[in-house]
Amino acid sequence: MRIAFIGAGSIFTPLGIYTIATSEVLRNAEVYLVEIDDERRKFITALAEKMRKTFKAGFGVTPLESVEGLEGHGLDYAVISVEKERYERWKLDFKIPHRHGIRQVLGENGGLGGLAHTLRVVPLVLEIARRIEDINRDAGVFIYSNPEPRVTYAVLNYTGLKNVYGLCTGYLERKEMLAPILKADEREISLIAGGLNHFTWIRELHVKGEDAYPRLDEALKKRPDFEPLSQLLYRTYGLFPSPDDNHIGEYLSFAWPLIPEEKKGLKWIERTKKEGEEVRRLLRLFLRGLVPKFAFNRFVKFPDVAMNVVEGLEGVEKLQEAINVPNRGYIDLPKGTIVEVPAEVSPKGIKPLHVELPREALVPLRVQAEIQRLSSEGAVEGNVEKVIKAVLLDPVVHDAEAGLRAMAELMRAHLDALPQFDEGDIEILRLMAFS
């Protein structure tokens, strides 16, 4: 079994390697760590070697500087988690629209920031995907790179790869947040949810197999401060959303005033950056032998999502509670939209499950489904007309002129990362704003 982590310096990779090291099914895999940054490549290689020895696993470790290096090795599974100058560019994705009065909560996966993010990341991942296609078009490919469903849509529609899945830890984060409210261990919580990535509706919620919605109802009566946006949506539609207020809020016009300051904008970006640095600090301590095996085991509450799926495909049948796949009737949304649903995983393959949602709850998802298509296609094709349509469809764009001017400024700021666009495309946006 040959598994490549592409963008191996990502925060997702250590958990993936840990899952391999502690899995009876995966512990003898050949692991390829593809990372262009020398320092990060050396660190993750040393960490993988340390985990192999600590957990007495038999997997092999091969560091590589580029995807091309995989050609001599072959490939069964690839995990893609690449980004370019993530935090510096994310700050621009938030600040520029904000200057134009666009109140987007995060500017990472939705809003104009999410659109600019899509235009940058899609070409980056598509180039990698085409290299994988040359090596093994039947490989299982798992995408963590955000905006994850839009990137997944592009790879599925513009390459010959068919076994492509978008993955996210959002459903696990929702369990973590609900655990104290439900007075339960997060590992005792299970859920069935459906929708779009970062905006799903929890159809079934259980603690130790028992319906936990009544318990949630009682708990929320005592906690009006807990996720006011999610509570509003729950009272309105009868289903609690996932993963949390600031992620859901990226897709709703009325979210901004409901989200606390510390959970949006630049404060959230800095918090996310610091959390990543704290995880890396712990990993450095583990590498130095200052975090013992038992403590590391306690720290890791859930397996890596990608390796959990691979484990299922390689023999351990399981229910994967959230996976992003092209819609084939799983939800009442347009065919081909990348939707997030549960799936049964076994050596026979991945079988997504149908999730029935109330008609009204589907309406905001339908808008985002169209933005997903337009932004992905616009990113691949360098099609500024599709970018304009995505801007004017977005619920957080309160004013057409402001939205188009902000998008023109965003594209100019990131033009060095947008090889599919040029100054002429930016001029079209600018002229549209003043027409």
Side-chain angles (χ1 to χ4, degrees), residues 143-158:
I143 295 174
Y144 278 126
S145 295
N146 278 325
E148 173 255 295
R150 302 180 187 186
V151 176
T152 303
Y153 179 99
V155 173
L156 277 165
N157 285 277
Y158 291 90

Side-chain angles (χ1 to χ4, degrees), residues 35-52:
E35 174 58 59
I36 62 173
D37 184 278
D38 288 342
E39 184 179 342
R40 289 193 171 203
R41 186 174 60 257
K42 290 175 183 175
F43 175 73
I44 194 62
T45 301
L47 190 63
E49 296 282 7
K50 174 75 173 179
M51 286 190 189
R52 180 176 63 182

